[in-house]
Amino acid sequence: MYERLARPVLFRLGHGDAEAAHEITLRWLARTGKSPAALRALAAVSRAGAGRPRTVFGVRFPNPVGLAAGMDKDGRALAAWPALGFGFIEVGTVTAHAQPGNDRPRLFRLPDSGAIINRMGFNNAGAAALAARLDAIGSLPVPLGISLGKSKVAPLADAVDDYVASLRALRGHGDYLAVNVSSPNTPGLRTLQDAAHLRDLLAALQGELAGAKPLLVKVAPDLTDEALGELLAVCVEHGVAGVIATNTTLARTGLAAGDIDLAMQTGGLSGRPLAERARAVVAFVTQETGGALPVIGVGGVTTADDAQRLVDAGASLVQVYTGLIFSGPGLVYEINRQLARRPNVGVGAPVP
């Protein structure tokens, strides 16, 4: 029903402007979240509650399917996502300073490829605004992750202080914190994945956290095995709780012929063309660390089988974003139903 009825209407919203459609959807979900009756109806339609619990890096997840960062940066629709069946939500990426992001247009759908290109540039209201919203909302029925990024106005030399400022504003919130050093849309950000830069950043963040919350690192799919191996060694050295694999890619392979013109847009590519590389990175992280670092697998999850392959590669949890846009909320239920059939695959042990 979503693909036949809802998606065509949604894709026409804002005269086909993908970001306008995104904004309209968020506003609708935010309004829905204010009505208990609407939430109950949404949960019934979405068959929320499917899936089996898991405990990963000390956090209990009611099911292993999460909403990836980027969909709800400022946490505007937090009450609605669990009603759609998600077992956890990751907000952000949030920065210490509020920022508008890059110039529009900056979000492009590639429908024949089941993909999206974005160059949003961490548009968000800032860490203090998110902290105030989370204070007002209170506890959620599912775990919350918070993705931290670097403010564009902060030079790379001040990146550590900038991340620490966000952490200080938000460390009282969320069940885990994720360090985003892998977005391709903030100039120079990916250099923070280099071992020397990452070592200083993680040391500062872990010093601030003092073990109070799990800290994860989100990695790019474009790293070589050698660079990724060095990054993982730094993560283990500094007690990182897990890895999120992967962010969007700068590659443009696997696109359908009808999307070639749009493929020339700058930004990170997500969706179906990323699926194979995301699986490879998840498998590499699992093998390289011997399973010591739990992995949240994200990238190219447009079907339940895609999610299963990430779990088979070693992921303990999975996240969706682009697949939700193309396949609708029924995808969350289908993934949970399929993963419940093989609950012991992956690093995170299921909870009875």
Side-chain angles (χ1 to χ4, degrees):
M1 183 177 295
Y2 174 84
E3 293 181 3
R4 291 196 308 271
L5 300 176
R7 188 175 71 184
V9 173
L10 188 61
F11 279 20
R12 285 196 298 270
L13 291 175
H15 304 289
D17 181 339
E19 188 170 351
H22 187 153
E23 177 63 23
I24 291 168
T25 302
L26 270 184
R27 285 203 301 264
W28 180 81
L29 287 171
R31 286 196 299 269
T32 300
K34 295 176 182 178
S35 167
L39 284 176
R40 287 193 296 270
L42 187 61
V45 171
S46 301
R47 292 171 287 187
R52 289 191 53 174
R54 285 178 169 262
T55 296
V56 187
F57 43 80
V59 177
R60 185 183 186 277
F61 297 85
N63 72 60
V65 184
L67 180 73
M71 177 64 81
D72 191 2
K73 291 182 173 68
D74 293 312
R76 294 163 54 193
L78 285 176
W81 299 117
L84 288 173
F86 285 103
F88 64 106
I89 310 157
E90 190 171 314
V91 295
T93 293
V94 64
T95 54
H97 299 278
Q99 56 188 41
N102 295 323
D103 293 339
R104 299 176 69 162
R106 54 193 180 180
L107 186 67
F108 307 90
R109 289 187 295 254
L110 285 66
D112 292 345
S113 305
I116 284 176
I117 292 174
N118 94 82
R119 51 172 179 265
M120 303 298 287
F122 291 166
N123 56 306
N124 73 104
L130 179 59
R133 174 168 279 135
L134 295 176
D135 275 331
I137 291 172
S139 61
L140 295 170
V142 300
L144 177 70
I146 302 174
S147 175
L148 307 178
K150 185 186 79 66
S151 303
K152 190 173 182 179
V153 297
L156 282 174
D158 297 334
V160 171
D161 290 340
D162 189 70
Y163 276 92
V164 167
S166 292
L167 180 66
R168 286 174 177 167
L170 289 161
R171 63 185 165 191
H173 302 282
D175 297 277
Y176 71 85
L177 296 160
V179 185
N180 186 346
V181 287
S182 50
S183 169
N185 298 317
T186 295
L189 183 78
R190 285 189 168 189
T191 63
L192 295 175
Q193 294 179 115
D194 297 344
H197 290 297
L198 187 63
R199 188 172 286 112
D200 292 341
L201 177 59
L202 293 181
L205 294 176
Q206 292 287 49
E208 289 286 332
L209 279 174
K213 297 280 177 71
L215 186 69
L216 282 67
V217 173
K218 189 168 187 174
V219 302
D222 305 320
L223 291 172
T224 65
D225 286 354
E226 180 181 5
L228 183 55
E230 292 176 358
L231 179 152
L232 293 173
V234 173
C235 288
V236 172
E237 175 188 345
H238 287 278
V240 166
V243 171
I244 303 174
T246 65
N247 213 315
T248 58
T249 180
L250 291 173
R252 293 294 186 266
T253 56
L255 295 177
D259 292 325
I260 295 302
D261 289 342
L262 279 175
M264 297 302 103
Q265 294 288 344
T266 59
L269 176 76
S270 60
R272 193 188 308 139
L274 185 54
E276 184 175 346
R277 178 57 185 163
R279 286 196 300 274
V281 175
V282 169
F284 181 90
V285 173
T286 302
Q287 182 175 6
E288 186 78 1
T289 66
L293 283 180
V295 182
I296 299 178
V298 55
V301 180
T302 59
T303 68
D305 285 340
D306 293 327
Q308 184 70 65
R309 284 189 281 268
L310 285 176
V311 170
D312 290 345
S316 301
L317 306 165
V318 297
Q319 290 178 327
V320 297
Y321 178 168
T322 302
L324 183 67
I325 293 170
F326 284 100
S327 301
L331 175 64
V332 181
Y333 170 77
E334 293 298 332
I335 294 172
N336 271 314
R337 186 175 68 166
Q338 176 147 329
L339 295 186
R341 297 170 184 163
R342 299 177 63 187
N344 295 310
V345 180
V347 179
V351 178

